[in-house]
Amino acid sequence: NAGVTQTPKFHILKIGQSMTLQCTQDMNHNYMYWYRQDPGMGLKLIYYSVGAGITDKGEVPNGYNVSRSTTEDFPLRLELAAPSQTSVYFCASSYSTAGNSPLHFGNGTRLTVT
Amino acid sequence: DQQVKQNSPSLSVQEGRISILNCDYTNSMFDYFLWYKKYPAEGPTFLISISSIKDKNEDGRFTVFLNKSAKHLSLHIVPSQPGDSAVYFCAASAKAGKSTFGDGTTLTVKP
């Protein structure tokens, strides 16, 4: 089992460019999430999905878009990248949204916008 | 307003001693609390959780204590090992809600 796989691991983006961070999971989890972690801070929820075709905004959605066409994949798109989007991005999945259903995280994408 | 706070950014302990990591929360609707551990260049991994109807949960060397009246929880690691050196995140969730994370505490266990 690979779990949650994120690509790329690292990327440098120029201001104003766009890119897609890829995330795929092989645990057949319905629930998937995108978080960002800034230095010295906790994880902030960007977007989440409760199943294929259903997505919703989290705490910090501005500047991002998501889609969920399959159970396995949950890509995150950055449009018109800004330096404030420099961060480490984590994708996660869970069996349910019940509080006792822990999140399974990928290893992150470290993005620098310059 | 930050709903989950980990007031100690770092903690250093000697191998074999107890590590105590603390977490405070403000939202009384939280019903589950989870601890995650994160090594550099990896994603967080789930460590242990506790329901709001309990005051203690134990798993091997790890024990989480919950004080609902004080809105405070703590993670105890006994005995601490060098491999426990990592960033520990406290997270809380309300019924069928998304997790809210603290800013993390970096634990260093010295041999």
Side-chain angles (χ1 to χ4, degrees), chain A residues 25-30 71-72 95:
Chain A
Q25 52 95 6
D26 62 1
M27 295 174 282
N28 203 33
H29 285 166
N30 280 326
T71 300
E72 295 78 20
Y95 174 73

Coordinates of all heavy atoms in Angstrom, one line a residue, chain A residues 25-30 71-72 95:
Chain A
Q25 N -4.6 8.6 -3.7 CA -4.6 7.6 -2.5 C -5.2 6.3 -3.0 O -6.0 6.3 -3.8 CB -5.3 8.2 -1.3 CG -6.7 8.7 -1.6 CD -7.8 7.7 -1.3 OE1 -7.6 6.6 -0.8 NE2 -9.1 8.1 -1.6
D26 N -4.6 5.2 -2.4 CA -5.1 3.9 -2.7 C -5.8 3.2 -1.6 O -5.8 1.9 -1.6 CB -3.8 3.1 -3.3 CG -2.8 2.9 -2.2 OD1 -3.0 3.4 -1.0 OD2 -1.8 2.2 -2.5
M27 N -6.3 3.9 -0.7 CA -7.0 3.3 0.5 C -8.5 3.3 0.3 O -9.2 3.0 1.3 CB -6.6 4.1 1.7 CG -5.1 3.9 2.0 SD -4.5 4.9 3.4 CE -4.4 6.5 2.6
N28 N -9.0 3.8 -0.8 CA -10.4 3.9 -1.1 C -11.2 4.8 -0.1 O -12.3 4.5 0.3 CB -11.1 2.4 -1.1 CG -12.4 2.4 -1.9 OD1 -12.5 3.1 -2.9 ND2 -13.3 1.6 -1.5
H29 N -10.5 5.8 0.4 CA -11.1 6.7 1.3 C -11.9 7.7 0.5 O -11.5 8.2 -0.5 CB -10.0 7.5 2.1 CG -9.3 6.7 3.1 ND1 -8.2 7.1 3.7 CD2 -9.7 5.6 3.7 CE1 -7.8 6.3 4.6 NE2 -8.7 5.3 4.6
N30 N -13.1 8.0 1.1 CA -14.0 9.0 0.4 C -13.5 10.4 0.7 O -13.7 11.3 -0.1 CB -15.4 8.8 0.9 CG -16.1 7.7 0.2 OD1 -15.9 7.4 -1.0 ND2 -17.0 7.0 0.8
T71 N -12.4 8.8 -6.9 CA -12.2 8.6 -5.5 C -10.7 8.7 -5.2 O -10.3 9.3 -4.1 CB -12.6 7.2 -5.0 OG1 -14.0 7.1 -5.3 CG2 -12.4 7.0 -3.6
E72 N -9.8 8.3 -6.1 CA -8.4 8.2 -5.8 C -7.7 9.6 -5.9 O -6.7 9.8 -5.2 CB -7.7 7.3 -6.8 CG -8.1 5.8 -6.7 CD -9.5 5.6 -7.4 OE1 -9.9 6.4 -8.2 OE2 -10.1 4.5 -7.0
Y95 N -11.0 7.8 6.4 CA -12.1 6.9 6.1 C -13.5 7.6 6.3 O -14.4 7.3 5.6 CB -12.0 5.7 7.1 CG -13.1 4.7 7.1 CD1 -13.3 3.9 6.0 CD2 -14.1 4.7 8.1 CE1 -14.3 3.0 6.0 CE2 -15.1 3.8 8.0 CZ -15.2 2.9 7.0 OH -16.3 2.1 6.9

